[in-house]
Amino acid sequence: MSELHPVLTGQKVVLARLRREDVPDMARYFSNLELTTYLGAFGGAFSLEDEEAYFESISKSSPDGVTFGIYDRATEQFIGGLDLRGVNHRHGTAELGISVHNPDFWGGGYGSEAVSLMVEYGMYFLGLYNIQLNVFAYNTRGIRAYEKVGFREIGRRTGAVRLGQERFDSVLMEITADRVDTARMRALVRLLD
């Protein structure tokens, strides 16, 4: 197993570049229909080849986005991933995506902490002003986690998601720089002390 190189460290999680060795775990987790339903790939199950292609697509740095793996701080176990995509440096905007892949870590505050670290990172190091996300109304656990970090609902697309014979709203949420304390990020740069 290759060494984990933390980029950001919280109380529960470490955010680091994804490792190639995490790809088989990604494929295993993305066979979980509950997980893929939360992410909008209703009934989707992804193969090792699918996840290898995804890894290749995000493994190189890009000015349009940043992707990190989420690792349990205590064990360095891979538990998920998150990204800022569609980064617009001119306007200071981006969209957040997150997935705590491992169900053993659902509901334990790991996702909230990872989102908080990523938002602070985006606001401080990327100069973002506004980060938005889209979540489905049936994902109440996710909505609570986003609200805990400081996201607020700014709109809904009524009945935009069909699951079985039921329809659910698509919920748009945002957080702005004036709602984010970036002191933790500033402290990472010793020259600013």
Side-chain angles (χ1 to χ4, degrees), residues 50-191:
D50 293 331
E51 294 307 316
E52 286 171 343
Y54 169 76
F55 177 81
E56 292 303 325
S57 74
I58 57 94
S59 64
K60 294 184 178 46
S61 295
S62 164
D64 299 334
V66 61
T67 301
F68 292 129
I70 306 170
Y71 300 86
D72 176 50
R73 182 176 177 178
T75 64
E76 295 189 352
Q77 178 184 352
F78 171 71
I79 62 171
L82 77 167
D83 67 347
L84 289 170
R85 60 185 83 126
V87 173
N88 184 313
H89 294 284
R90 176 179 171 84
H91 299 297
T93 59
E95 183 173 355
L96 176 85
I98 180 174
S99 173
V100 175
H101 306 338
N102 187 333
D104 295 341
F105 291 87
W106 291 357
Y110 294 87
S112 294
E113 185 177 64
V115 167
S116 183
L117 287 167
M118 187 63 129
V119 165
E120 293 170 31
Y121 171 87
M123 298 299 188
Y124 190 77
F125 289 105
L126 302 181
L128 299 178
Y129 175 76
N130 179 296
I131 298 173
Q132 72 172 25
L133 61 84
N134 191 44
V135 61
F136 305 125
Y138 57 78
N139 187 354
T140 56
R141 185 179 60 240
I143 292 170
R144 282 193 310 271
Y146 301 133
E147 290 172 340
K148 180 178 170 183
V149 171
F151 279 84
R152 63 187 173 92
E153 183 178 324
I154 57 170
R156 286 178 175 248
R157 189 167 183 194
T158 305
V161 179
R162 184 172 60 95
L163 183 58
Q165 297 307 310
E166 296 179 74
R167 291 209 162 267
F168 298 91
D169 293 351
S170 177
V171 181
L172 185 61
M173 302 181 82
E174 72 173 4
I175 192 167
T176 53
D178 55 331
R179 299 173 56 116
V180 177
D181 180 2
T182 58
R184 182 166 46 175
M185 297 299 116
R186 188 177 194 282
L188 295 175
V189 184
R190 290 181 292 200
L191 295 175

